[in-house]
Amino acid sequence: TIKALIFDLDGTLAETEETHRAAFNATFAAHGLDWHWSREDYAVLLKTGGGKERLRAFQAGLPEAARLPEADILRLHAEKTETFGRMIAEGAVGLRPGVEDLILHAREAEMAIAMATTTSRPNVEVLARTCWGRPADRVFDVIASGDEVERKKPDPAIYRLALDRLGMPPRECLAFEDSHIGLQSARAAGLGVVITPSTYTEGEDFTGAAHCAPTLEQRNWPLILKAMLLSY
Ligand code: XBP
Ligand code: MG
């Protein structure tokens, strides 16, 4: 039986990636940088999990003279996190359809609810407060977030950390993801995975997922529940 559900944040609980992109671009502009990430640029940049890692990957493609020192990257990222937080608090996104109900029902079934995300911890907090009106640790029993592991998705470290904190083996848990790198991360940690593709990940390769549904809405649950049974 499934005793815990482990959720990815960006793209799965909420369609946050456009807000991340806007926050990056606003930060670049505020610093007089002529960097601007289009949707097309960002679709490629998202293959690198983690905002700081994404900035470094972007810089690697620039001429050496245009690259910033690491301290500047960290400062830009910290500012981007603040801007993103303000945007979310102002209501930039809501939970994706079905998320709230699924978590409520899982709670009724006495399942634990966990989060395994490559995003920064302040982003988890602001989303929980804005969308649930509660601190994150009152929505999730366990939270594993970006800066707690050295290697981000597709590495399994973040899911292993969440499993460790749950104190459960992977076969008793199910992961919910929206991306190919998230799927790889969860699978490598031994988890069954339900995929709900997001705007940026539609069309990615989801081979190995236990089930793929357009959303977590209730009408998709029979299939999701079947996936839970099938994956073990
Ligand atoms: C998706 C990510 C994150 C965000 C940016 O995370 O790759 O890096 O794009 O967040 P998830 P930070 O695992 O939740 O889908 O800038 O805070 O790193
Ligand atoms: Mg995601």
Side-chain angles (χ1 to χ4, degrees):
T1 56
I2 299 297
K3 295 188 179 150
L5 306 184
I6 311 178
F7 291 90
D8 163 56
L9 193 164
D10 296 300
T12 302
L13 294 181
E15 282 279 11
T16 47
E17 289 300 359
E18 273 303 88
T19 311
H20 280 295
R21 187 171 74 86
F24 276 116
N25 284 331
T27 309
F28 300 154
H31 283 263
L33 290 165
D34 65 349
W35 300 359
H36 181 88
W37 291 350
S38 68
R39 276 193 69 103
E40 292 70 34
D41 297 332
Y42 204 60
V44 177
L45 287 161
L46 271 177
K47 310 263 181 265
T48 306
K52 290 190 280 286
E53 290 77 358
R54 191 164 304 138
L55 283 165
R56 292 185 195 119
F58 171 71
Q59 282 223 109
L62 297 179
E64 196 141 1
R67 293 181 204 157
L68 300 176
E70 176 65 11
D72 288 4
I73 292 294
L74 296 179
R75 205 151 44 88
L76 278 179
H77 187 259
E79 247 177 71
K80 174 260 166 182
T81 301
E82 270 182 38
T83 303
F84 176 83
R86 267 196 307 278
M87 290 170 165
I88 295 295
E90 284 164 5
V93 298
L95 297 173
R96 286 190 64 185
V99 166
E100 202 171 358
D101 272 1
L102 174 57
I103 291 181
L104 274 175
H105 281 75
R107 285 257 173 249
E108 275 165 24
E110 295 184 348
M111 287 182 194
I113 306 296
M115 154 93 73
T117 173
T118 49
T119 212
S120 310
R121 176 62 195 249
N123 301 348
V124 180
E125 207 52 56
V126 75
L127 189 95
R129 284 180 192 269
T130 310
C131 295
W132 276 278
R134 278 181 276 155
D137 63 4
R138 295 207 22 229
V139 181
F140 302 94
D141 302 296
V142 155
I143 298 169
S145 61
D147 290 323
E148 296 190 281
V149 291
E150 214 161 291
R151 288 160 182 259
K152 302 202 171 171
K153 297 173 187 175
D155 191 278
I158 197 73
Y159 276 100
R160 286 197 181 130
L161 181 63
L163 286 167
D164 209 49
R165 289 183 178 159
L166 283 165
M168 293 177 194
R171 72 188 136 75
E172 292 179 352
C173 308
L174 193 67
F176 292 80
E177 273 286 353
D178 71 305
S179 69
H180 175 70
I181 61 169
L183 169 66
Q184 284 182 306
S185 167
R187 292 289 294 148
L191 288 151
V193 186
V194 171
I195 294 282
T196 49
S198 59
T199 48
Y200 271 104
T201 61
E202 257 166 4
E204 289 189 352
D205 178 9
F206 297 123
T207 309
H211 183 64
C212 195
T215 74
L216 295 174
E217 280 170 299
Q218 214 146 7
R219 61 187 158 78
N220 294 316
W221 286 7
L223 288 167
I224 292 168
L225 292 171
K226 204 172 105 195
M228 290 190 187
L229 297 174
L230 274 182
S231 35
Y232 307 100

